[in-house]
Amino acid sequence: MRTMMISRRTMLAGTAATATVLAAPAIHAAEPKVLRYLGTAVNEGDDISKKCLADTGIKIEYVTATTDDVTKRVITQPNSFDVLDTEYFSLKKLIPSGKIQALDARKIKEFNNITPVFTKGELPSGKKIGGQGTAPWKVLYLEGAKSTKFSATPTEFVTLIPTVYNADTLGIRPDLIKRPITSWAELLNPEFKGKAAILNIPSIGIMDAAMVVEATGRYKYADKGNMTKPEIDLTMKVMTEAKKAGQFRAFWKDFNESVNLMASGETVIQSMWSPAVTKVRSQGVPCVFQPLKEGYRSWASGFCVSKGATGAKLDWAYEFVNWFLSGWAGAYLNRQGYYSAVLSTAKANMAAYEWAYWMEGKPAAQDIKGPDGGLLEKAGATRDGGSYEDRMGNVACWNAVMDENDYMVRKWNEFIAA
Amino acid sequence: MTRLKLNTVQQRLSAGAISRLQALPMAFVFAFFFILPLVLVVIVSFWDYNEYEMIPAFSGRGYTDTFEGCAAQLPELCTILKTYAKTVKLCAVTWALTLLIGFTVAYFLAFHVKSRMWQITLSLLCTIPFLTSNVIRMIAWIPMLGRNGLVNQGLQATGITHAPVEWLLFSEFSVVLALVHLFSFFMIVPIFNSMMRIERALIEAAYDSGATGWQTLRHVIIPLSKPGIVIGSIFVITIVMGDFITVGVMGGQQIASAGKIIEVRLNALQFPAAAANAVILLTVTLMIIAGLQRLVDIRKEL
């Protein structure tokens, strides 16, 4: 009896919903399509929101915070955003908290065209890539629509639709170092005493440290992105020794800090992000995003949707994600030196010479311009690290949240105090 | 009739009760916006937590984790003690310097600048360090103190040094420099205020009795400026003890501070651990303030 009543009520609700859909044009006129987009400043470009408004009529309202604050906000104020732009590694905190909802893969038009880097952990050519850390394919699927458990095998319930990713390495000042740099071990080379820097985000900083420890041959980790307590101790010991010896000039947290340290010559070798290297270069200072033989530390981000987004909001969220993957935004990201999740649509939106430079590692046939039209590289230049295959194919590990995160954070405080 | 009633009310309430009633609104504000949040912080500091949420179950983990290894590592200091030793040291140096500078500037403003107009203008000039944001300030110090900065170029050009001086930036020196640069103002204002209230006749009387300038300063001006000195000291000490932005930015994030520990914990979503550290910081700061109060009874002096 009770169940019957409920189903009757649901049916009534369903009828009401159909009526709403039928009346859609009137409602569209009354209610503007607005999505609140929570993320870091790096991905929140005006160009993208303007183009999105022109193409889909969806107005994007950016809510900007730092990487850590974005996560904090999702946990503490889950109703303050609709779409969330975040990285895969934070899912290990966000999914168990139950603050974001699974997306239906069948509603994402280009889902099957998303690069296999995310879905299978391999390049389009079939080459397997490194999966240490919180690799996207480990946290891409959920067991069910309401589940908070990651599924090891593909399901239709997706946690985060990828949009952008890259392979990170060390940035160097070739004019001040004056010799080839080929290994992560150089970060702790006493030759650069007082002129090195690392990232001051513990979960990422310790990964760079692990790349260095492995490169020096002191230890080989089973998984750099998920260390045991003794491994954390060892890594921090190596870093503490270096810190005490005065190896580091500074630790940086902010994009602009990293640009300034490098451009002013305070540091000559440091962990860095690709667009920061471009920015140093655009100031006329030589700077190289140096490929290293041990490989890259990779990261990937994309869109989640808040649990609070329902009805029309949810439809707009899908529309927005679909628009984002449809090519224009992908080409925009590729021109910034990142990679887009759906390669085919991005390629269709780029000139052949641009694709050859950014993705195939070929010398630029003509001057390379950034998304804002500013000159990035003169004709003849090639991209640091070469092609997509060369860069993404050499990924060694992914940004991660470790099981021993709590212990790691305490050890990081100890490292700072040393 | 009404007046009669009022009189009886006044008769019934003692003078003390009336002052207490008058203080009631402010007490409410304090209770709601200060005491209550503080109580919540203390409660949360005894909760448990996992990767993404606080668990409202009693746990001393926030505290025990913080003091981990403190007994085992003796005589070597553990992380938290090392951090507090560093924070207290930076605080002491900053306090001494801001007091010296603050007192001198306030003295100049109060006793040497005669026109009220100039006193106000010069006081406003002291607020200049607050006109820029922290990030801008940090970026601005690099061309000044950096390896290839103005100071190093000057030192090398004049032949005083032959290689760049590295400790000018991202060192304890630069942290103290920035803190003093920022917070001298908090010393200047209360001391200046105290000095302006000193009866000028007292100073004249001191001179007339044959006291030297130094004696007047020691026996008249300093004792009478004490409330200002203590208030300024409380400002500076509480701000510097909790500061993590300036220490971080100017220390190249390589210098530990009590505030920094809280920040790192917060960013890792470990709210109870952050709250526990906040309680520890508050306790230490209150102890320092209590010590200061012991030196000068500020309630008596005001």
Side-chain angles (χ1 to χ4, degrees):
Chain A
M1 186 67 203
R2 206 186 144 93
T3 41
M4 246 186 75
M5 260 178 70
I6 286 175
S7 67
R8 219 174 73 98
R9 210 174 274 167
T10 325
M11 237 186 72
L12 281 174
T15 323
T18 323
T20 320
V21 170
L22 286 175
I27 285 184
H28 263 271
E31 195 184 355
K33 295 160 124 188
V34 176
L35 283 178
R36 292 165 303 166
Y37 174 125
L38 172 64
T40 60
V42 181
N43 296 339
E44 295 184 336
D46 277 346
D47 296 336
I48 289 181
S49 61
K50 271 184 203 147
K51 181 71 179 166
C52 175
L53 182 65
D55 287 358
T56 64
I58 296 173
K59 190 170 181 302
I60 298 294
E61 278 178 3
Y62 286 128
V63 183
T64 311
T66 63
T67 309
D68 289 328
D69 285 339
V70 167
T71 311
K72 227 182 285 171
R73 192 163 177 139
V74 175
I75 304 275
T76 55
Q77 303 167 58
N79 290 319
S80 68
F81 66 95
D82 304 309
V83 175
L84 165 69
D85 174 356
T86 190
E87 280 192 50
Y88 277 93
F89 76 91
S90 64
L91 291 179
K92 278 180 95 172
K93 292 185 174 209
L94 299 183
I95 292 294
S97 79
K99 301 291 196 269
I100 60 173
Q101 60 177 304
L103 292 170
D104 186 346
R106 290 167 305 184
K107 289 194 188 166
I108 307 293
K109 276 191 214 105
E110 298 286 345
F111 191 80
N112 293 324
N113 291 326
I114 286 175
T115 165
V117 164
F118 292 102
T119 49
K120 296 182 195 151
E122 59 186 44
L123 293 177
S125 65
K127 186 187 173 192
K128 283 274 172 205
I129 61 179
Q132 289 189 15
T134 312
W137 57 91
K138 296 181 193 166
V139 291
L140 186 60
Y141 303 106
L142 289 179
E143 287 180 350
K146 303 269 178 220
S147 172
T148 53
K149 279 221 176 78
F150 298 115
S151 165
T153 51
T155 64
E156 66 215 60
F157 312 106
V158 182
T159 53
L160 189 157
I161 302 294
T163 53
V164 59
Y165 51 106
N166 207 348
D168 283 357
T169 182
L170 297 176
I172 64 162
R173 283 282 300 266
D175 56 324
L176 298 176
I177 291 183
K178 298 192 185 90
R179 68 175 177 85
I181 295 291
T182 58
S183 168
W184 279 85
E186 301 280 8
L187 188 67
L188 295 190
N189 188 337
E191 184 185 335
F192 308 122
K193 189 180 153 196
K195 295 177 181 174
I198 57 165
L199 194 61
N200 187 33
I201 297 175
S203 55
I204 305 177
I206 197 169
M207 301 284 281
D208 283 353
M211 293 296 284
V212 174
V213 171
E214 241 179 37
T216 57
R218 286 180 74 153
Y219 185 75
K220 191 143 180 60
Y221 301 87
D223 185 347
K224 283 185 280 294
N226 203 5
M227 299 184 194
T228 60
K229 281 187 180 178
E231 283 174 340
I232 294 172
D233 287 344
L234 170 89
T235 315
M236 296 321 289
K237 189 170 156 262
V238 174
M239 296 307 278
T240 305
E241 280 164 13
K243 179 174 181 260
K244 281 188 172 157
Q247 182 71 10
F248 303 112
R249 186 63 170 148
F251 301 149
W252 62 266
K253 194 163 200 173
D254 177 82
F255 174 89
N256 287 314
E257 278 178 337
S258 75
V259 171
N260 259 286
L261 285 170
M262 210 61 169
S264 64
E266 292 297 326
T267 58
V268 298
I269 184 165
Q270 67 176 17
S271 355
M272 229 171 160
W273 295 335
S274 173
V277 174
T278 310
K279 195 161 175 195
V280 173
R281 265 213 286 248
S282 70
Q283 295 177 12
V285 177
C287 186
V288 172
F289 206 38
Q290 183 63 47
L292 303 166
K293 63 181 182 215
E294 295 86 7
Y296 296 88
R297 175 183 49 73
S298 190
W299 58 269
S301 69
F303 295 125
C304 292
V305 174
S306 164
K307 202 134 230 173
T310 51
K313 277 263 189 213
L314 186 58
D315 294 342
W316 302 335
Y318 275 111
E319 190 181 352
F320 171 64
V321 173
N322 277 322
W323 172 80
F324 207 97
L325 296 179
S326 69
W328 187 89
Y332 185 93
L333 294 167
N334 277 7
R335 285 189 197 106
Q336 282 185 311
Y338 296 123
Y339 293 125
S340 59
V342 180
L343 297 175
S344 51
T345 56
K347 186 174 184 178
N349 279 272
M350 291 171 86
Y353 76 92
E354 287 183 308
W355 185 261
Y357 171 81
W358 290 112
M359 301 300 288
E360 291 167 351
K362 292 187 181 143
Q366 44 182 296
D367 288 354
I368 296 294
K369 296 200 171 114
D372 58 349
L375 180 70
L376 284 184
E377 294 291 345
K378 292 247 168 64
T382 50
R383 178 173 187 170
D384 293 341
S387 68
Y388 180 80
E389 288 268 319
D390 285 340
R391 296 184 81 247
M392 287 311 293
N394 280 313
V395 165
C397 59
W398 295 80
N399 280 359
V401 168
M402 304 186 186
D403 294 339
E404 294 290 351
N405 188 48
D406 181 58
Y407 184 73
M408 194 275 286
V409 168
R410 275 183 281 150
K411 285 288 150 181
W412 188 269
N413 272 333
E414 190 179 317
F415 167 56
I416 300 291
Chain B
M1 187 69 185
T2 8
R3 178 165 297 174
L4 215 132
K5 229 182 195 167
L6 256 178
N7 275 342
T8 45
V9 168
Q10 265 173 358
Q11 272 160 10
R12 242 181 273 157
L13 290 173
S14 67
I18 289 174
S19 347
R20 252 175 255 137
L21 270 179
Q22 284 170 328
L24 206 60
M26 195 60 199
F28 255 128
V29 171
F30 261 120
F32 202 74
F33 292 103
F34 183 68
I35 308 284
L36 184 69
L38 209 60
V39 169
L40 288 179
V41 167
V42 175
I43 293 173
V44 166
S45 77
F46 284 103
W47 282 7
D48 201 1
Y49 59 94
N50 62 19
E51 275 302 291
Y52 53 88
E53 66 184 356
M54 305 186 274
I55 304 165
F58 180 84
S59 162
R61 196 177 147 203
Y63 293 92
T64 49
D65 277 1
T66 303
F67 288 101
E68 189 185 31
C70 282
Q73 279 175 337
L74 283 172
E76 216 176 291
L77 293 181
C78 56
T79 310
I80 187 81
L81 293 181
K82 245 189 230 165
T83 305
Y84 271 90
K86 179 69 49 111
T87 308
V88 169
K89 179 184 158 194
L90 288 176
C91 187
V93 177
T94 308
W95 172 74
L97 288 172
T98 49
L99 179 58
L100 188 71
I101 294 169
F103 189 88
T104 316
V105 173
Y107 185 88
F108 174 77
L109 284 177
F111 298 115
H112 285 267
V113 181
K114 300 291 178 205
S115 108
R116 180 48 62 108
M117 243 287 280
W118 274 109
Q119 278 178 337
I120 294 171
T121 316
L122 290 175
S123 313
L124 285 179
L125 279 183
C126 297
T127 62
I128 282 182
F130 295 94
L131 298 183
T132 52
S133 82
N134 242 303
V135 177
I136 305 267
R137 269 201 296 276
M138 182 262 180
I139 290 169
W141 282 113
I142 292 184
M144 185 76 187
L145 300 172
R147 190 172 283 138
N148 308 309
L150 220 57
V151 174
N152 265 321
Q153 279 174 1
L155 286 175
Q156 280 165 283
T158 50
I160 296 171
T161 57
H162 296 287
V165 181
E166 303 265 322
W167 55 258
L168 285 176
L169 191 61
F170 303 135
S171 60
E172 283 180 30
F173 167 81
S174 58
V175 170
V176 170
L177 182 73
L179 289 173
V180 169
H181 165 241
L182 274 175
F183 301 137
S184 286
F185 180 69
F186 290 112
M187 215 42 127
I188 295 172
V189 171
I191 299 181
F192 174 67
N193 187 38
S194 280
M195 284 178 173
M196 289 307 282
R197 292 210 235 156
I198 297 176
E199 197 60 57
R200 293 301 189 266
L202 288 175
I203 298 166
E204 279 164 29
Y207 277 114
D208 290 346
S209 321
T212 62
W214 177 248
Q215 281 172 323
T216 314
L217 184 72
R218 243 205 98 199
H219 298 290
V220 179
I221 295 175
I222 290 183
L224 290 174
S225 311
K226 259 189 191 167
I229 293 174
V230 173
I231 292 172
S233 302
I234 292 175
F235 278 150
V236 171
I237 289 168
T238 45
I239 296 174
V240 176
M241 282 302 289
D243 180 278
F244 63 95
I245 294 175
T246 309
V247 176
V249 162
M250 297 307 291
Q253 308 287 355
Q254 293 201 74
I255 296 175
S257 63
K260 174 96 197 157
I261 289 194
I262 300 175
E263 192 211 9
V264 172
R265 291 298 208 151
L266 274 181
N267 286 342
L269 299 176
Q270 299 163 352
F271 296 116
N277 276 286
V279 171
I280 297 168
L281 174 61
L282 186 71
T283 314
V284 173
T285 311
L286 284 179
M287 272 157 53
I288 299 177
I289 303 292
L292 267 182
Q293 295 269 31
R294 215 149 238 240
L295 291 177
V296 182
D297 184 351
I298 194 160
R299 260 178 289 185
K300 211 175 80 195
E301 299 280 347
L302 274 178

